[in-house]
Amino acid sequence: MARINTNPKLVAIFIIYFFMTSQVFTHGQQVPCLFFFGASLTDNGNNNMLNTVLKSNYPPYGIDFSAGPTGRFSNGKNTPDFIAQLLGFNNPIPPFATATGPAIVKGVNYASAGAGILDNTSRALGERISMNRQLSNHQITISGLSSLLGPSTQVQDYLNKCLYIVEIGSNDYVNNYIQPQNYPETASLTPDQFAALLIQQYTTQLNALYNSGARKVAIYGVPPVGCIPQVRAMFPPNASGCVDYVNNYAQLFNNRLKPLVDNLNANLTGAKFTYINMHGILISILASLSTFVSGTPCCAVSSAGVCVPNQAPCINRALYVFFDNYHTTEIINSFVAARVYISVSATDAYPFDLKNLAQQ
Ligand SMILES: *[C@@H]1O[C@H](CO)[C@@H](O)[C@H](O)[C@H]1NC(C)=O
Ligand SMILES: *[C@@H]1O[C@H](CO)[C@@H](O)[C@H](O)[C@H]1NC(C)=O
Ligand SMILES: *[C@@H]1O[C@H](CO)[C@@H](O)[C@H](O)[C@H]1NC(C)=O
């Protein structure tokens, strides 16, 4: 007789998963528009036309996605797709690379795989749209909105009501600081000096975002990048199963984000910045999924850590943590999005989760 898995935790997880992946999960849009800035966990097609190894617009990416391979680094939906759904949007937010006309009114996704707070981050991998360039692209969107929505005061009022999500910083560690041979310009900085440099640049960038009309802004901390297969292949992992020093370096950056949020909210009139503790959220989710495969990715990967084109991935994708050597599977993305939207632990978000931020 076939053995049926009746582990109640797993059953509950699958019920949440099917609920979230079904189209039934839509209700009124909670904000008029949603803008994403960030790197590959957020990218949904902005790198497709760039000269870089960090692309995902080919199979097996998108094997579980209705539109097939699109430039999402996942087998199916990515976290922004689930977040847009949870906020009541009927469609995903389009990538800047292809968003045109009235489509931009509901928001744009500027994220680019490899992008960093520092312009040079991921230079060794090819072209990418850095955080600074994403902010310039946002100015192009704002000009476009003026012709759709009218005078600039009206556009500013509209932009004030939107939600902004920023997922940046991972590459500044993985594809910059921990590779001193490729990035001599940061090699001489101590971990603390490097975190301070990132925060200094990021502060300027977030002030620029505010000055472009953003008020409700969620900034994601760096996830435990010392645990991804690509980093575990670069350095010997510790007893934790992760490369502890990489996580510890990234935590020096994360630890400065709460004070940064307090500072921005105190300095900038009407600002509602919030910090999302991606490190804690992921560690907690992964601890509850001990039966999932987390040591190896689902697809066959190249030395760059992305899927080799056209090779069949693993069959049981709903039981894998990583699709390629960097990026999580659709099922993990659904759990992360649910917890970013509504906090489970008091340490998940500070001071607001996304649902709460939308209501501010
Ligand atoms: C960026 O990299 C170039 C080399 O490609 C280097 O000349 C430049 O100083 C770096 N910029 C910064 C800000 O480190
Ligand atoms: C992790 O592993 C490295 C390399 O083996 C070692 O130098 C370091 O002390 C270890 N760290 C901890 C916290 O055990
Ligand atoms: C807040 O304002 C103070 C005083 O002008 C400034 O030193 C600080 O850098 C500002 N903080 C942020 C996060 O912009």
Side-chain angles (χ1 to χ4, degrees), residues 109-260:
N109 182 334
Y110 303 99
S112 163
I117 292 171
L118 304 182
D119 291 336
N120 274 348
T121 286
S122 305
R123 178 183 58 206
L125 299 171
E127 295 176 333
R128 67 278 163 210
I129 307 162
S130 68
M131 185 63 193
N132 282 329
R133 286 191 45 215
Q134 292 180 36
L135 288 163
S136 307
N137 287 342
H138 188 46
Q139 293 305 319
I140 297 173
T141 299
I142 293 175
S143 306
L145 287 174
S146 304
S147 53
L148 293 162
L149 300 177
S152 97
T153 53
Q154 226 156 293
V155 174
Q156 287 301 310
D157 281 350
Y158 187 74
L159 290 169
N160 288 173
K161 298 189 186 89
C162 303
L163 211 64
Y164 301 77
I165 297 180
V166 190
E167 175 261 312
I168 199 92
S170 296
N171 288 311
D172 294 294
Y173 284 92
V174 176
N175 288 306
N176 187 329
Y177 192 59
I178 66 169
Q179 299 186 33
Q181 70 285 10
N182 289 328
Y183 301 90
E185 66 268 25
T186 52
S188 65
L189 301 179
T190 65
D192 217 55
Q193 286 171 333
F194 184 70
L197 171 68
L198 293 183
I199 292 292
Q200 179 212 323
Q201 302 273 310
Y202 202 21
T203 302
T204 305
Q205 291 161 350
L206 293 171
N207 272 286
L209 187 58
Y210 172 89
N211 289 329
S212 306
R215 294 295 178 270
K216 303 176 179 191
V217 185
I219 61 176
Y220 290 1
V222 174
V225 284
C227 305
I228 65 176
Q230 186 72 6
V231 171
R232 287 187 311 208
M234 289 164 72
F235 307 101
N238 291 92
S240 63
C242 305
V243 182
D244 292 346
Y245 94 90
V246 178
N247 285 339
N248 294 341
Y249 285 2
Q251 288 287 60
L252 296 175
F253 170 75
N254 288 336
N255 290 342
R256 293 171 184 249
L257 291 178
K258 258 199 208 181
L260 175 60

Side-chain angles (χ1 to χ4, degrees), residues 23-164:
Q23 292 306 314
V24 186
F25 198 84
T26 47
H27 39 88
Q29 215 178 286
Q30 293 151 44
V31 282
C33 34
L34 177 56
F35 292 96
F36 289 101
F37 295 80
S40 52
L41 290 168
T42 303
D43 192 351
N44 62 350
N46 289 310
N47 273 27
N48 294 355
M49 304 304 280
L50 301 187
N51 181 14
T52 169
V53 296
L54 298 180
K55 291 164 95 103
S56 58
N57 55 338
Y58 56 82
Y61 289 108
I63 186 169
D64 301 313
F65 195 72
S66 54
T70 55
R72 285 169 172 78
F73 289 79
S74 168
N75 55 307
K77 293 178 182 170
N78 60 13
T79 305
D81 292 325
F82 286 113
I83 284 178
Q85 217 174 315
L86 288 161
L87 287 165
F89 287 76
N90 288 324
N91 296 110
I93 302 304
F96 177 77
T98 56
T100 48
I104 65 172
V105 173
K106 288 194 175 183
V108 174
N109 182 334
Y110 303 99
S112 163
I117 292 171
L118 304 182
D119 291 336
N120 274 348
T121 286
S122 305
R123 178 183 58 206
L125 299 171
E127 295 176 333
R128 67 278 163 210
I129 307 162
S130 68
M131 185 63 193
N132 282 329
R133 286 191 45 215
Q134 292 180 36
L135 288 163
S136 307
N137 287 342
H138 188 46
Q139 293 305 319
I140 297 173
T141 299
I142 293 175
S143 306
L145 287 174
S146 304
S147 53
L148 293 162
L149 300 177
S152 97
T153 53
Q154 226 156 293
V155 174
Q156 287 301 310
D157 281 350
Y158 187 74
L159 290 169
N160 288 173
K161 298 189 186 89
C162 303
L163 211 64
Y164 301 77

Side-chain angles (χ1 to χ4, degrees), residues 203-204 206-207 259-268:
T203 302
T204 305
L206 293 171
N207 272 286
L260 175 60
V261 157
D262 279 336
N263 219 312
L264 291 163
N265 288 341
N267 276 11
L268 305 171

